[in-house]
Amino acid sequence: MLMPNMTTVKLDGQHDGRQLRNALGRFPTGVTVITTRAPDGKLEGLTANSFSALSLDPPLVLWSVKRNASSLPGFLASGHFAINVLGVAQSDLSQRFATPSENKFSGLVFEDGLGGSPVLEGVLASFECQTESTLDGGDHVLFVGRVHKLSYHDGEPLMFNAGRYCRAQPLPMSAEMQAASAMWADLG
Ligand SMILES: Cc1cc2nc3c(=O)[nH]c(=O)nc-3n(C[C@H](O)[C@H](O)[C@H](O)COP(=O)(O)O)c2cc1C
């Protein structure tokens, strides 16, 4: 049975767009900065929480960018990108790359990854990718990337939930849950 205080909305074209955002915001995500180097050498980057694992074999990931993003032409032209997964202390980096600016990279330390895509110093994980395909995603363009190189270290991820930055708190685990989670670890 539905919860008595559940909000239910039919998407009939007349609906309030905030309701879709509200419901999507109930799904917490990590936060990434996705970067590339355009063929003319210009560095592009944006904050994205649309990043997701897609396939283990072959190793594929996906993310989407809104059609009016200023970085979209650079991502389309370059054919490479780097996913930088942010740690809990990096909300300032998230804000920087979510704010339009001529040079979002000013003062930042980074290495050149695949195709020259910037891999930012201090991130929790990075995936250097070649663009495998792009797909129409309504008001977004979906990028599928093949991972050629990855790096990671232990640490706490930055999370985004209901429009706010937050942190992940592990639940206390029963013996049964510990056994199950060991099995999930094998599954990746
Ligand atoms: C937590 C968070 C997640 C975001 N996720 C995305 C995303 O997945 N795709 C997207 O196009 N924009 C996303 N944005 C918004 C972009 O980061 C923002 O519009 C940015 O200015 C786009 O940069 P650009 O216009 O320089 O390309 C997100 C913003 C925040 C704060």
Side-chain angles (χ1 to χ4, degrees):
M1 190 182 130
L2 290 180
M3 304 279 290
N5 58 352
M6 197 83 174
T7 299
T8 303
V9 178
K10 286 207 164 121
L11 301 193
D12 55 5
Q14 309 296 313
H15 61 274
D16 178 354
R18 267 172 308 185
Q19 298 292 0
L20 179 56
R21 286 170 179 264
N22 286 348
L24 291 172
R26 261 60 180 179
F27 184 67
T29 66
V31 182
T32 69
V33 168
I34 305 182
T35 60
T36 196
R37 183 183 296 271
D40 64 2
K42 182 162 191 293
L43 299 180
E44 301 283 6
L46 82 162
T47 300
N49 66 344
S50 53
F51 169 69
S52 180
L54 176 59
S55 163
L56 295 178
D57 187 15
L60 301 175
V61 296
L62 64 80
W63 63 286
S64 64
V65 55
K66 59 187 177 188
R67 287 195 180 276
N68 62 1
S70 64
S71 55
L72 176 58
F75 279 105
L76 287 172
S78 92
H80 299 95
F81 56 85
I83 310 277
N84 296 272
V85 179
L86 300 188
V88 71
Q90 294 180 310
S91 56
D92 53 337
L93 267 185
S94 175
Q95 281 311 106
R96 175 195 279 243
F97 280 92
T99 308
S101 150
E102 251 316 289
N103 188 3
K104 295 180 179 179
F105 294 84
S106 163
L108 290 186
V109 180
F110 58 85
E111 283 179 5
D112 286 352
L114 192 68
S117 303
V119 176
L120 305 180
E121 187 181 64
V123 294
L124 201 52
S126 63
F127 302 90
E128 296 171 42
C129 304
Q130 186 169 21
T131 303
E132 182 93 353
S133 56
T134 58
L135 292 158
D136 177 23
D139 58 9
H140 281 56
V141 175
L142 187 71
F143 279 75
V144 174
R146 180 178 286 252
V147 182
H148 284 266
K149 186 175 172 188
L150 60 83
S151 302
Y152 65 94
H153 64 87
D154 288 340
E156 201 185 334
L158 179 64
M159 306 283 296
F160 196 67
N161 185 43
R164 292 189 56 177
Y165 295 112
C166 38
R167 64 199 320 162
Q169 289 289 344
L171 291 173
M173 277 214 270
S174 64
E176 291 80 16
M177 283 171 78
Q178 278 182 33
S181 86
M183 198 171 70
W184 301 332
D186 279 352
L187 295 175

